[in-house]
Amino acid sequence: MVFWIIVVVIVVIGLLIWASRKKKTAVETTAVKTHKECSYCNEEIEIDAAVCKYCRGIVVSSS
């Protein structure tokens, strides 16, 4: 009997942890985008950059 109570408590705690992680990922996706990928070298650069600081390629704005 005690074994089943312990199992149920562990499962409930696991489900709560899983649910809290799921909520965190949903919040992260709504964050403001501050960087984009360079169309030439695929490095992450600032969103308002006109020239890539890695390959010096002219970045076309995709507004």
Side-chain angles (χ1 to χ4, degrees):
M1 181 71 180
V2 174
F3 173 76
W4 290 110
I5 293 173
I6 293 172
V7 169
V8 169
V9 168
I10 291 173
V11 169
V12 169
I13 291 173
L15 288 173
L16 290 173
I17 292 171
W18 179 74
S20 69
R21 283 188 176 181
K22 196 132 179 117
K23 289 180 184 177
K24 287 182 182 178
T25 57
V27 172
E28 290 174 3
T29 58
T30 60
V32 176
K33 193 172 182 181
T34 60
H35 288 79
K36 63 182 176 182
E37 286 186 0
C38 172
S39 56
Y40 298 105
C41 65
N42 292 328
E43 289 291 334
E44 192 172 84
I45 58 174
E46 292 185 22
I47 201 155
D48 58 347
V51 177
C52 175
K53 66 180 181 180
Y54 299 104
C55 70
R56 302 291 183 217
I58 298 174
V59 180
V60 179
S61 177
S62 59
S63 299

